[in-house]
Amino acid sequence: MNTADLIWLNGEFVAWEDAKVHVLTHAMHYGTGVFEGIRAYETERGTAIFRNQEHLNRLEASAKLYYMDLPYSKQQLREVTHELIVRNGFKSCYIRPLVWRGYGPMGLNPLENPVEAMIAVWEWAPYLGEEGKRDGVRARVSSYRRISSDSLIPHSKASGQYLNSVLAKIESIKAGYQEAILLDDKGHVCEGSGENVFVIKDGVVYTPPQAAAILDGINRKSCIQIARDLGFELIERDIARAELALADEVFLTGTAAELTPLREIDDIPIGEGTPGPITRQIQELFDDALHGRAAQYAEWLDLVPVPSRS
Ligand SMILES: Cc1ncc(COP(=O)(O)O)c(C=O)c1O
């Protein structure tokens, strides 16, 4: 893994190797943390964080659903992120804020444990590879169903909930695939282990609705808007498993994976078995938006201020 010089931990910038917590940290035992995955890109106007405000809003919402207040304001977290990127000398990077229940009473009631926060940044290539973005990846439908709101909170990006994704991911990798697609508790297509999913059939783009057991992805929202701006009909509705294999095109979106096409599901080629033309069109404009080349999406970018030299 690429490292950085500094991490921000509970209000201080510390060396990467000194960013430590106690082994009795509540979140280590019970998963009581919430986090974000954000990316900053090099643009013509400087380094810019993609939809930073939306990510910070989701961090706050995830925390609220687990009875935590953010220990720093969103504006403070935003400024700290800017400073962290500058002090680490990165032009583009992945950004990982984490807010968690720290060392305190043991046991399942976390309400007396302090809420702590850190932000780390590092340079990270697209999660499913540049090759995956170009040629598409192979996925299998996981034997694990996506967590449902009967027992957890799919709309919260909470650490403990990711055991679900971890199991699905391990299963798919061990079976020789690059990604897993999880169905929801009713058997509808839900999402990837860390990505939302879009299906294209006869020129129409479909994605599971916001009220499904998905994480309401920020790149999902962006690609919905981009698809509509490009003139495609986009429908949010439940998707049957068979629709994946019978689709003309399927793609995944997420901060880590960006927009990665799916070329095979359960060993069945999707469409021609290569990324299709609508996927390509959305991917291209989305990439332009990420890298500040699409003026119409300029407000999605949070520019990292360059410190004056005085
Ligand atoms: C389970 C899950 N679904 C979807 C997404 C995509 O969300 P976003 O586009 O906000 O990165 C992620 C990534 O954060 C995820 O972990």
Side-chain angles (χ1 to χ4, degrees):
M1 176 181 174
N2 291 329
T3 61
D5 294 337
L6 294 173
I7 285 184
W8 180 83
L9 173 62
N10 288 328
E12 284 175 43
F13 292 92
V14 298
W16 179 277
E17 54 278 10
D18 295 332
K20 294 178 181 158
V21 294
H22 197 277
V23 289
L24 292 184
T25 293
H26 198 274
M28 264 180 78
H29 296 256
Y30 303 116
T32 44
V34 295
F35 67 100
E36 271 304 315
I38 315 174
R39 274 189 192 271
Y41 293 90
E42 190 173 1
T43 77
E44 267 189 0
R45 294 192 294 150
T47 297
I49 304 174
F50 188 68
R51 307 199 79 165
N52 198 17
Q53 196 57 48
E54 285 86 344
H55 282 285
L56 292 170
N57 291 345
R58 189 170 66 186
L59 183 70
E60 183 180 51
S62 296
K64 182 177 180 176
L65 289 164
Y66 277 93
Y67 301 87
M68 288 188 281
D69 290 325
L70 295 184
Y72 299 87
S73 72
K74 288 184 284 181
Q75 184 56 21
Q76 281 172 318
L77 295 175
R78 175 171 175 244
E79 285 167 12
V80 160
T81 307
H82 290 168
E83 188 176 343
L84 192 62
I85 292 172
V86 170
R87 287 180 67 172
N88 278 303
F90 290 147
K91 295 207 167 5
S92 62
C93 59
Y94 183 82
I95 304 161
R96 167 57 57 84
L98 177 71
V99 170
W100 71 94
R101 289 284 182 181
Y103 170 54
M106 288 306 279
L108 288 172
N109 173 12
L111 298 177
E112 297 303 319
N113 294 62
V115 178
E116 305 191 16
M118 77 90 198
I119 303 176
V121 294
W122 64 89
E123 290 176 310
W124 211 17
Y127 178 57
L128 297 168
E130 283 296 349
E131 205 182 308
K133 278 183 70 179
R134 192 187 61 227
D135 302 335
V137 295
R138 299 173 60 245
R140 65 173 277 177
V141 171
S142 178
S143 71
Y144 294 99
R145 295 289 175 95
R146 165 80 174 154
I147 52 167
S148 85
S149 52
D150 286 345
S151 50
L152 283 166
I153 313 173
H155 281 75
S156 178
K157 198 166 167 61
S159 306
Q161 299 188 165
Y162 273 81
L163 287 175
N164 180 229
S165 290
V166 165
L167 284 172
K169 187 77 180 180
I170 290 174
E171 182 187 60
S172 70
I173 297 288
K174 281 190 174 289
Y177 301 85
Q178 287 142 298
E179 192 45 287
I181 300 292
L182 287 84
L183 307 180
D184 68 15
D185 56 339
K186 298 180 194 67
H188 297 132
V189 173
C190 198
E191 57 181 14
S193 67
E195 309 88 18
N196 294 111
V197 61
F198 289 75
V199 167
I200 301 168
K201 185 73 181 173
D202 297 331
V204 179
V205 187
Y206 301 92
T207 195
Q210 199 265 345
I214 60 170
L215 183 75
D216 190 12
I218 287 156
N219 298 280
R220 169 186 180 275
K221 278 201 248 293
S222 308
C223 287
I224 287 176
Q225 182 168 340
I226 286 172
R228 288 185 172 143
D229 290 349
L230 284 168
F232 296 111
E233 187 181 356
L234 188 138
I235 298 175
E236 293 180 64
R237 69 149 169 83
D238 291 336
I239 295 171
R241 176 177 179 163
E243 288 184 275
L244 283 177
L246 299 176
D248 299 325
E249 308 177 32
V250 177
F251 66 85
L252 305 173
T253 62
T255 298
E258 301 175 336
L259 192 158
T260 299
L262 213 61
R263 66 181 159 87
E264 240 178 72
I265 183 76
D266 293 332
D267 303 307
I268 303 173
I270 295 169
E272 303 292 314
T274 52
I278 296 178
T279 300
R280 281 283 178 245
Q281 241 185 299
I282 298 171
Q283 186 183 42
E284 201 177 308
L285 187 50
F286 179 55
D287 261 340
D288 285 347
L290 295 178
H291 293 92
R293 296 187 297 258
Q296 66 272 43
Y297 305 122
E299 87 267 15
W300 286 350
L301 301 180
D302 177 25
L303 286 174
V304 176
V306 182
S308 61
R309 288 179 165 273
S310 59

